Amino acid sequence: MSEVELQPDSHNFIMEDQNEDESPKKNTLWQISNGTSSVIVSRKRPSEGNYQKEKDLCIKYFDQWSESDQVEFVEHLISRMCHYQHGHINSYLKPMLQRDFITALPEQGLDHIAENILSYLDARSLCAAELVCKEWQRVISEGMLWKKLIERMVRTDPLWKGLSERRGWDQYLFKNRPTDGPPNSFYRSLYPKIIQDIETIESNWRCGRHNLQRIQCRSENSKGVYCLQYDDEKIISGLRDNSIKIWDKTSLECLKVLTGHTGSVLCLQYDERVIVTGSSDSTVRVWDVNTGEVLNTLIHHNEAVLHLRFSNGLMVTCSKDRSIAVWDMASATDITLRRVLVGHRAAVNVVDFDDKYIVSASGDRTIKVWSTSTCEFVRTLNGHKRGIACLQYRDRLVVSGSSDNTIRLWDIECGACLRVLEGHEELVRCIRFDNKRIVSGAYDGKIKVWDLQAALDPRAPASTLCLRTLVEHSGRVFRLQFDEFQIISSSHDDTILIWDFLNVPPSAQNETRSPSRTYTYISR
């Protein structure tokens, strides 16, 4: 007994209730200690001859009872026991109550339930689950859970969705039958490659590494590309020469030129059916996106139409005439004026809206908020020192750019200015944001990429907010749009630039300063 010391436990000494005739046979508790743990044991009383027979008889009766009677009997027994006995029973029951349900479910023909449970795991947890045992690994493999994890990410994350389309592995997803695609091991090896791709894209954004393509839009009378919008197949641009040009996104060739406006095309938006444009000729025109045919011309504003937005049967236009027009847009040919909003004291340069608010910004230095449903005025956001040229609104956040060279972030519900971003040297002409970044373009010819989440954190130092400055335009930047993989911008220099952060040449991946670029020049 050199390593295990046997000694009376003075702290946990318990006397069991005994009948008076059994009092000489009371139990004594002892503690076996090895320095790190202890187990309470009782000194066994001398075995009595009748105990074994009585126990066997009790078990015989017990086996004959119903399950409910057995449970009731055991409950009575436990209630008559003392605390330390309860502890022994608990220790005995714990391993009996534990179940490897992932292994047990398939044994009951319930593989689909085991797969469904594990399908909620993230990648790190799924890796750990594969190492539990061969049965867990089999459930994960046969359930194609790596495939399901990738599919879940593609459904919920635009970056994953876009990457799946651009890299081509979307062809292996969302197949109903396992025989339609590769085995689980393919998706198991694909997942880390996707993560590496995403990390590379994020690094390219932070470091400014990109592949640059350039469309030259110059014609005899053109001195700038005022507006644009793009998708995976095309870029539609509005020019100072009164035309709208549609470009092939891959070849960068000009596919179509739409003419009809008698002034510069200052703003546009399109969907799968129509293109809507606003011009310095004071009109709004609606075009068939496929044929280029003019479907409708709206004559309302007295001066240039500076910006417009449409969505879900509603269109909002704004003008140099200081007014905002709200339109009901039943179809391309059935557009009626609902309300004119008046309140700004200078040209209204930009509008945006959702189901709750219409937001407008003006040369009068203010942002005004209106109710979408009633068109009633709600509040004014004050803070910019000079006229406001651009804004975007989504959820509670408004981001605006001004000729005071700053960008401001606002909470639309309370009107508070959350942050002022400084860095541009001239008027901030265009601005867009998503969940991660703000991208701005200015009359200084520069495009800046800002960290949105850091900008919303009041503790973040101002010096950390601008992630990158991109300088390629030789003139004022008029308009830009971006997604997870690229920025497309237009300028007074008559060019459209495509900044591709996905397909960066390998030679540029190790560059820390100005990266090498591939240029594609198209002039039409």
Side-chain angles (χ1 to χ4, degrees), residues 163-178:
L163 198 57
S164 72
E165 295 166 351
R166 287 163 173 78
R167 292 301 195 220
W169 42 266
D170 60 331
Q171 64 182 304
Y172 304 115
L173 304 178
F174 305 107
K175 306 290 185 183
N176 293 326
R177 293 178 298 174

Side-chain angles (χ1 to χ4, degrees), residues 209-496:
R209 291 188 292 261
H210 59 273
N211 179 50
L212 189 70
Q213 294 177 292
R214 187 187 302 267
I215 299 174
Q216 293 282 1
C217 302
R218 187 178 298 110
S219 61
E220 286 187 14
N221 300 319
S222 175
K223 295 182 180 178
V225 185
Y226 280 132
C227 52
L228 64 83
Q229 184 183 336
Y230 71 87
D231 56 40
D232 290 339
E233 287 78 40
K234 61 185 176 296
I235 303 171
I236 301 183
S237 58
L239 280 70
R240 190 174 181 180
D241 69 357
N242 310 348
S243 70
I244 297 134
K245 290 187 177 180
I246 303 176
W247 310 85
D248 183 279
K249 179 77 159 41
T250 303
S251 68
L252 308 186
E253 295 284 341
C254 184
L255 302 175
K256 196 173 297 182
V257 180
L258 310 184
T259 59
H261 278 297
T262 58
S264 301
V265 180
L266 303 178
C267 54
L268 67 82
Q269 183 185 343
Y270 72 85
D271 61 13
E272 66 278 2
R273 298 184 307 274
V274 298
I275 307 169
V276 183
T277 57
S279 168
S280 59
D281 65 12
S282 307
T283 69
V284 173
R285 288 183 179 248
V286 183
W287 316 71
D288 186 296
V289 72
N290 297 309
T291 67
E293 177 189 0
V294 177
L295 303 176
N296 203 344
T297 301
L298 305 178
I299 301 173
H300 164 76
H301 289 289
N302 299 320
E303 295 189 65
V305 179
L306 301 178
H307 201 250
L308 63 85
R309 302 299 298 167
F310 70 87
S311 177
N312 298 324
L314 184 71
M315 180 167 68
V316 181
T317 60
C318 62
S319 169
K320 190 178 178 181
D321 65 12
R322 307 183 184 185
S323 74
I324 302 158
V326 182
W327 309 79
D328 288 310
M329 194 174 182
S331 68
T333 56
D334 184 7
I335 302 174
T336 56
L337 183 64
R338 179 197 295 184
R339 187 81 173 266
V340 177
L341 309 182
V342 179
H344 284 294
R345 294 176 287 104
V348 184
N349 294 315
V350 59
V351 289
D352 204 353
F353 72 92
D354 64 9
D355 291 340
K356 189 173 185 180
Y357 295 125
I358 297 170
V359 185
S360 58
S362 167
D364 65 9
R365 310 180 184 183
T366 69
I367 297 169
K368 291 190 180 292
V369 182
W370 319 76
S371 167
T372 303
S373 58
T374 67
C375 293
E376 296 299 321
F377 172 74
V378 177
R379 66 177 57 89
T380 298
L381 310 182
N382 291 297
H384 279 295
K385 303 296 188 295
R386 300 185 67 181
I388 302 163
C390 56
L391 67 73
Q392 183 184 348
Y393 157 54
R394 193 180 69 190
D395 299 326
R396 291 183 62 131
L397 184 63
V398 174
V399 181
S400 59
S402 167
S403 56
D404 63 12
N405 305 347
T406 70
I407 297 162
R408 286 181 179 254
L409 283 65
W410 311 81
D411 183 330
I412 196 170
E413 295 294 348
C414 65
C417 180
L418 306 174
R419 172 75 79 164
V420 179
L421 303 179
E422 298 179 307
H424 280 295
E425 297 163 9
E426 294 185 47
L427 178 149
V428 181
R429 181 66 177 81
C430 48
I431 200 152
R432 303 300 293 170
F433 70 87
D434 62 10
N435 293 328
K436 300 176 186 176
R437 307 176 183 90
I438 301 169
V439 182
S440 58
Y443 278 5
D444 57 14
K446 298 174 182 177
I447 293 172
K448 288 183 177 287
V449 181
W450 311 79
D451 186 331
L452 174 59
Q453 295 306 317
L456 292 172
D457 182 354
R459 299 167 298 180
S463 59
T464 65
L465 303 182
C466 183
L467 301 176
R468 211 70 194 176
T469 300
L470 306 174
V471 185
E472 285 294 340
H473 282 296
S474 59
R476 297 172 171 179
V477 180
F478 284 142
R479 194 61 52 92
L480 62 80
Q481 183 185 341
F482 78 98
D483 56 42
E484 291 82 2
F485 309 102
Q486 63 199 327
I487 301 170
I488 299 186
S489 58
S490 65
S491 167
H492 191 269
D493 63 15
D494 300 327
T495 66
I496 297 172

Side-chain angles (χ1 to χ4, degrees), residues 129-148:
E130 287 181 318
L131 301 176
V132 171
C133 64
K134 289 183 178 179
E135 182 60 19
W136 282 46
Q137 188 180 46
R138 183 195 68 78
V139 171
I140 292 169
S141 177
E142 294 185 4
M144 302 294 287
L145 297 192
W146 282 103
K147 174 175 176 284
K148 291 178 181 177

Side-chain angles (χ1 to χ4, degrees), residues 147-165 169-170 173-174 194:
K147 174 175 176 284
K148 291 178 181 177
L149 174 60
I150 293 172
E151 289 174 343
R152 186 168 78 240
M153 297 303 296
V154 168
R155 279 194 301 267
T156 58
D157 191 322
L159 177 55
W160 282 71
K161 186 176 188 303
L163 198 57
S164 72
E165 295 166 351
W169 42 266
D170 60 331
L173 304 178
F174 305 107
I194 297 171

